[in-house]
Amino acid sequence: MSKELDADQVAGNGLLDRRVFLRQGGGIIGAVGAAVGLAGYSRPVEAETLVVPEWTKKPGALFEPYTQPSKYETKVARGPIPPSPYNGIGPGSVRAPLQHLEGMITPNGVHYERSHNGVPDIDPAGHRLLIHGLVKKPLVFTLDALSRYPMTSRISFVECAGNSGGMYAEKPAEGTAQSLHGLVSCAEWTGVPLAMLLEEAGVDPSAKWLVAEGADAAAMSRSVPIEKVMDDALVALYQNGERIRPANGYPMRLLLPGWQGNMNVKWLRRIKLLREPAQTKDETSKYSLLLKEGKVAQFHFPLDAKSVITKPSPGVNMTSPGLYEISGIAWSGNGKITKVEVSADGGKSWAEAALSGPVLSKAITRFRLPWRWSGGPAVLQSRAIDETGYVQPTREKLIGLRGSRSQYHCNLITSWGVAANGEVKHVYA
Ligand SMILES: Nc1nc2c(c(=O)[nH]1)N[C@H]1C(S)=C(S)[C@@H](COP(=O)(O)O)O[C@H]1N2
Ligand SMILES: [Mo]
């Protein structure tokens, strides 16, 4: 290794200072490029003359009313598609292709989906939102009526409480970032603050909770404490600038930034103000957090800080030794990500990654770190730290707290084993 890179090594097994790629004036291209052979990734001009390809010789395709991704990008797809027990409808989930995405936003077409009884075919003209219960004046809203209220936008992740549940298993499950962790996505949501609608209805001081109900065949219903609603709940109408996709709750969903996905009721049709939680089927038969020694926490709402490396990751393998950028996503339901650390030696030593801005509360944050892969075996890990000081736990620590029969809120540190041939696999460190 060159002197420059020796100096830049900040943790074991080739992890480099996060600023290496940012250096000005011959930094990367001069020192790092020459030292590790970045030049080897492109070809010298002499190797090939710039030919005029076929597609340059004739006029291109016509305009489309709504464009689709390139036909060469079919791997960027939700999956795996579960078999349907009921002729193409019914319960299940599909995961976002995390290892094929960049940045912080999930494109609408590949946002993960968890639907307990299929996607209802809702005509927006016939849809109503009812607010009733402990209010002075029950109200009903059409979509047109809601669209006249002032709107708010925020970028927020939604994550299923069951995401990564397979990581509690005794043996490391085979899989990709998508199949192991793909029940999380992040979008810009736009809609009307629920607090504004409740103010109009006039909340009775005795109301401490509300129950939100969906218009799907599952009639998904969850109780939400009123403080959360007054803080940042949104009746979301738009997802990344367009109407919410049918799979994600068209024409409106409840957005509870940072709280377990299940509570973000899709196809929202009813909100009832209550003194106490409603104890619906969806918060008693499921979504309670199993702790050690047979104890259960019925309600455990925010999702704790978590991260996963998406590049490299299973299926996104290493090719030849040399300089790489490790990249991944981190998020916390309790605020902003303040730091992500990366290890290339299975957690023995750590280097601080660079965070790609904007770093937003309860949103996905992209992290990056230069790594000089020697070509030897390595175990890559990332751990997220949020503004509350919370540190993403190791597998041992989380299982110590919850036991190994737990299912939900699994945010333990993931390990990707890199073999000498460059293949990446899920391992336990
Ligand atoms: N009405 C309704 N809302 C729902 C669900 C549902 O099945 N019906 N699934 C919930 C679950 S379990 C999750 S994880 C999130 C998934 O949101 P998404 O499909 O937009 O990703 O929606 C929640 N809201
Ligand atoms: Mo979920």
Side-chain angles (χ1 to χ4, degrees):
M1 205 192 310
S2 80
K3 277 215 185 71
E4 287 89 343
L5 282 180
D6 258 343
D8 283 322
Q9 176 142 342
V10 291
N13 220 356
L15 286 177
L16 305 182
D17 188 278
R18 67 189 186 280
R19 288 162 295 239
V20 160
F21 283 152
L22 302 174
R23 246 170 240 153
Q24 295 292 309
I28 170 96
I29 293 152
V32 180
V36 300
L38 255 197
Y41 304 154
S42 54
R43 269 173 288 174
V45 171
E46 302 80 57
E48 191 178 85
T49 42
L50 183 62
V51 291
V52 179
E54 273 315 298
W55 50 77
T56 304
K57 295 180 187 162
K58 55 180 193 289
L62 279 174
F63 305 103
E64 295 167 55
Y66 200 106
T67 66
Q68 297 300 316
S70 160
K71 66 183 177 204
Y72 301 106
E73 295 298 323
T74 51
K75 67 175 190 290
V76 188
R78 305 195 308 168
I81 304 290
S84 166
Y86 311 114
N87 278 332
I89 51 156
S93 62
V94 278
R95 290 154 188 261
L98 302 181
Q99 70 276 27
H100 300 309
L101 300 176
E102 253 299 340
M104 64 190 290
I105 296 289
T106 313
N108 289 343
V110 292
H111 194 287
Y112 91 89
E113 178 188 348
R114 169 77 175 105
S115 295
H116 287 238
N117 205 356
V119 178
D121 181 10
I122 296 181
D123 174 355
H127 183 79
R128 298 287 181 274
L129 171 63
L130 172 67
I131 297 183
H132 68 149
L134 296 170
V135 293
K136 287 198 188 67
K137 186 174 56 159
L139 298 172
V140 66
F141 297 89
T142 61
L143 184 61
D144 280 350
L146 273 183
S147 300
R148 293 190 59 171
Y149 283 76
M151 299 210 194
T152 303
S153 296
R154 78 170 291 160
I155 295 175
S156 176
F157 74 83
V158 179
E159 181 184 20
C160 181
N163 195 24
S164 321
M167 309 288 291
Y168 284 116
E170 220 169 280
K171 295 229 167 71
E174 227 179 274
T176 61
Q178 174 169 19
S179 67
L180 297 169
H181 301 296
L183 294 175
V184 64
S185 293
C186 184
E188 184 204 39
W189 303 95
T190 300
V192 184
L194 180 51
M196 195 185 288
L197 304 177
L198 292 185
E199 200 179 306
E200 188 177 335
V203 177
D204 188 281
S206 66
K208 298 288 181 251
W209 290 75
L210 59 75
V211 63
E213 179 188 76
D216 54 335
M220 173 63 62
S221 307
R222 286 298 304 263
S223 303
V224 188
I226 200 88
E227 304 86 67
K228 173 65 175 175
V229 173
M230 293 312 183
D231 178 22
D232 61 1
L234 207 61
V235 177
L237 308 176
Y238 293 85
Q239 177 183 6
N240 291 328
E242 62 180 1
R243 288 288 187 186
I244 289 180
R245 290 284 169 96
N248 305 111
Y250 182 86
M252 61 187 72
R253 84 177 301 167
L254 182 61
L255 183 78
L256 297 173
W259 282 23
Q260 58 177 216
N262 184 259
M263 307 177 75
N264 294 254
V265 172
K266 304 192 279 188
W267 315 295
L268 182 66
R269 70 186 290 264
R270 189 156 75 101
I271 283 174
K272 187 175 186 186
L273 281 293
L274 306 166
R275 273 187 193 88
E276 287 175 350
Q279 310 290 3
T280 71
K281 68 182 191 323
D282 302 305
E283 59 203 10
T284 46
S285 69
K286 290 193 188 75
Y287 299 108
S288 301
L289 193 64
L290 198 58
L291 305 172
K292 272 204 311 201
E293 285 130 25
K295 291 222 166 110
V296 174
Q298 185 188 4
F299 294 131
H300 185 92
F301 299 138
L303 291 142
D304 291 327
K306 183 165 170 180
S307 66
V308 61
I309 293 171
T310 54
K311 188 187 78 175
S313 66
V316 184
N317 295 324
M318 311 290 288
T319 41
S320 56
L323 190 63
Y324 285 79
E325 180 181 73
I326 293 172
S327 156
I329 53 174
W331 63 98
S332 166
N334 293 309
K336 286 185 188 174
I337 291 293
T338 48
K339 204 198 260 192
V340 177
E341 294 172 317
V342 172
S343 174
D345 54 15
K348 285 194 208 70
S349 63
W350 297 89
E352 186 176 346
L355 304 182
S356 289
V359 177
L360 302 175
S361 177
K362 305 170 189 178
I364 278 180
T365 297
R366 173 71 52 182
F367 63 88
R368 304 173 188 285
L369 191 71
W371 182 38
R372 186 190 163 281
W373 182 47
S374 65
V379 175
L380 296 176
Q381 298 184 332
S382 64
R383 75 175 171 210
I385 297 154
D386 72 16
E387 63 179 315
T388 69
Y390 177 92
V391 181
Q392 185 180 356
T394 59
R395 193 161 181 283
E396 205 180 8
K397 179 157 186 207
L398 194 73
I399 287 181
L401 290 169
R402 302 217 182 125
S404 56
R405 289 172 55 232
S406 217
Q407 245 184 304
Y408 296 118
H409 288 251
C410 190
N411 66 329
L412 55 79
I413 291 172
T414 294
S415 303
W416 298 140
V418 180
N421 68 359
E423 211 182 315
V424 185
K425 272 199 178 130
H426 178 217
V427 297
Y428 286 163

